[in-house]
Amino acid sequence: MKKALITGNRGQDGAYLSQLLLSKGYEVYGADRAGDSGLWRLRELGIESRVKETYLDILELTNIMDLLEKVRPDEIYNFAAQSFVKMSFEQPILTAEINAVGVTRMLEAIRKVRPAARFYQASTAELFGSTGSAQRNETTAFHPKSPYGVSKLYAHWITVNYREAYGLHASCGIMFNHESPLRGGEFVTRKITMAAARIKKGLQDKVHVGNLAARRDWGYAREYVEAIWRMLQQPKADDYILATGRSHTVREFAAAAFSAAGFKLEWKGRGLAEKGVDARTGRVLVEVSKEFYRPAEVDLLVGDAAKARAKLGWTPVTKFKDLVALMVEADMKRLEIQ
Ligand code: GDP
């Protein structure tokens, strides 16, 4: 039986990957510093009792070394991160400690304690950060636009460096935005799907968002963890873009979400005065608020996953509208259960 250690396993990707590996017969160890909180995702997936939860603080090298000695994992997936772009402007140093130096600690511990283990690092489209319409691939130059992106850039290169310098089987997945019903409510997608469901049920009036014109390449997280697992099954470690190749605006996301909840949104006004209005009643459902704008914005992100398709045999299947609809549906269902 293979053993996997997943840091940040209570997050969206960690939870889906835990489920996938359990279905493949792995013994799955989750590593988190969150105490008892955040187990809701594992609970929803019905795997809470099957994941062996351990304590890990990625800021503490000794913690990591002890855990590797104890668990002796064959595969290590690192999702532990401060993963909010906006918060990284407010906590740039903590973000670097966790996302950048934290990965160095992981790699050092692996090199010393468990060098045969295979390692996955969660890189991100935020490494590119730049605007323009061309799709990003593995050869596009990086130019991150937030402390989060910069911290992840360090993590990306230190992972490549340990692969080249010490021969570790260490791979990075440069993941474009990937969403699901398990996405945290701080991200714009889930924030909107939750709001659409709550507004439909009369529990909320409207939702405030930031830049409606931002475009993202949104895929379905459940499909992305399959590619992550395949990366670690390759004879040689490498880095891969994971993306759908299509982008949509936040405005389009909101329209699709409200449509899935039974509303037809119409857009009125411009800039901060733009509003999403219920076409039937004229009621304002979406408003723009400065609070959700960022000091530096990534206007557009779209990725080219041709390499993952060719080498991993991976293609994302779920279409944008279906993804939005399944998120809204899940949020509606949760409200019914409550
Ligand atoms: P990110 O791509 O990892 O930063 O994921 P987010 O879901 O947090 O943000 C995606 C895009 O939506 C960014 O360009 C944000 O500026 C934009 N956006 C617009 N309104 C909001 C909002 O209310 N919350 C968040 N989180 N993002 C918003």
Side-chain angles (χ1 to χ4, degrees), residues 284-304:
V284 174
L285 302 179
V286 182
E287 275 192 7
V288 175
S289 166
K290 238 188 164 147
E291 183 193 334
F292 299 108
Y293 274 78
R294 295 168 181 184
E297 172 69 306
V298 176
D299 299 330
L300 165 68
L301 281 175
V302 57
D304 171 6

Side-chain angles (χ1 to χ4, degrees), residues 83-86 124 126 148 177 179 183 185-192 207-216 218 250 292-294 297-299 301:
S83 59
F84 306 120
V85 173
K86 187 160 191 293
T124 159
E126 291 288 323
Y148 170 81
N177 296 51
E179 318 297 312
R183 190 59 144 156
E186 304 82 354
F187 292 87
V188 74
T189 52
R190 182 81 203 296
K191 176 176 167 179
I192 291 172
V207 60
H208 289 90
V209 296
N211 182 6
L212 282 167
R215 296 187 83 92
R216 288 291 182 277
W218 280 300
V250 172
F292 299 108
Y293 274 78
R294 295 168 181 184
E297 172 69 306
V298 176
D299 299 330
L301 281 175

Side-chain angles (χ1 to χ4, degrees), residues 8-51:
N9 76 307
R10 295 175 194 185
Q12 169 186 264
D13 298 352
Y16 279 130
L17 184 69
S18 298
Q19 186 185 42
L20 178 74
L21 297 184
L22 285 168
S23 77
K24 291 183 184 297
Y26 278 69
E27 195 174 334
V28 176
Y29 289 82
D32 208 295
R33 60 169 182 173
D36 278 344
S37 68
L39 285 168
W40 67 272
R41 292 185 177 89
L42 303 183
R43 214 169 285 143
E44 264 204 29
L45 294 177
I47 56 171
E48 188 188 359
S49 62
R50 296 174 62 203
V51 177

Side-chain angles (χ1 to χ4, degrees), residues 89 113 207 255 268:
F89 287 99
V113 179
V207 60
K268 303 220 160 116

Side-chain angles (χ1 to χ4, degrees), residues 52-264:
K52 298 183 168 66
E53 288 291 318
T54 60
Y55 178 85
L56 176 81
D57 194 326
I58 197 167
L59 298 181
E60 187 59 66
L61 179 64
T62 317
N63 258 204
I64 308 172
M65 294 178 95
D66 287 350
L67 189 60
L68 293 188
E69 257 159 26
K70 196 173 104 194
V71 172
R72 307 182 65 72
D74 304 293
E75 295 172 11
I76 300 162
Y77 297 87
N78 184 40
F79 297 117
Q82 191 301 90
S83 59
F84 306 120
V85 173
K86 187 160 191 293
M87 195 193 285
S88 78
F89 287 99
E90 284 138 37
Q91 299 189 318
I93 296 163
L94 181 62
T95 300
E97 281 291 351
I98 297 170
N99 295 4
V101 188
V103 178
T104 318
R105 289 188 197 94
M106 289 290 299
L107 289 162
E108 264 303 280
I110 293 170
R111 181 170 84 84
K112 292 262 163 63
V113 179
R114 199 74 187 143
R118 296 185 170 194
F119 179 71
Y120 171 81
Q121 169 57 18
S123 283
T124 159
E126 291 288 323
L127 299 185
F128 297 118
S130 48
T131 55
S133 59
Q135 289 187 345
R136 306 300 185 237
N137 66 26
E138 291 80 0
T139 62
T140 310
F142 297 133
H143 184 159
K145 293 230 171 147
S146 62
Y148 170 81
V150 176
S151 70
K152 283 283 191 173
L153 181 61
Y154 179 98
H156 183 85
W157 282 119
I158 199 72
T159 303
V160 173
N161 180 247
Y162 271 59
R163 177 168 80 218
E164 292 174 354
Y166 303 114
L168 295 191
H169 193 293
S171 299
C172 300
I174 306 173
M175 314 261 287
F176 282 64
N177 296 51
H178 45 292
E179 318 297 312
S180 76
L182 300 188
R183 190 59 144 156
E186 304 82 354
F187 292 87
V188 74
T189 52
R190 182 81 203 296
K191 176 176 167 179
I192 291 172
T193 62
M194 269 196 298
R198 288 176 58 80
I199 290 169
K200 179 70 181 176
K201 302 265 178 207
L203 300 169
Q204 188 174 328
D205 230 25
K206 56 175 104 155
V207 60
H208 289 90
V209 296
N211 182 6
L212 282 167
R215 296 187 83 92
R216 288 291 182 277
D217 179 332
W218 280 300
Y220 185 20
R222 193 188 269 283
E223 293 171 358
Y224 285 46
V225 300
E226 169 71 30
I228 291 173
W229 173 75
R230 289 188 196 179
M231 281 180 211
L232 293 212
Q233 312 317 307
Q234 300 305 302
K236 264 186 76 177
D238 204 347
D239 310 315
Y240 300 87
I241 299 262
L242 300 181
T244 71
R246 288 169 192 276
S247 75
H248 296 271
T249 59
V250 172
R251 194 182 287 109
E252 285 165 354
F253 191 98
F258 277 93
S259 158
F263 297 96
K264 185 171 177 344

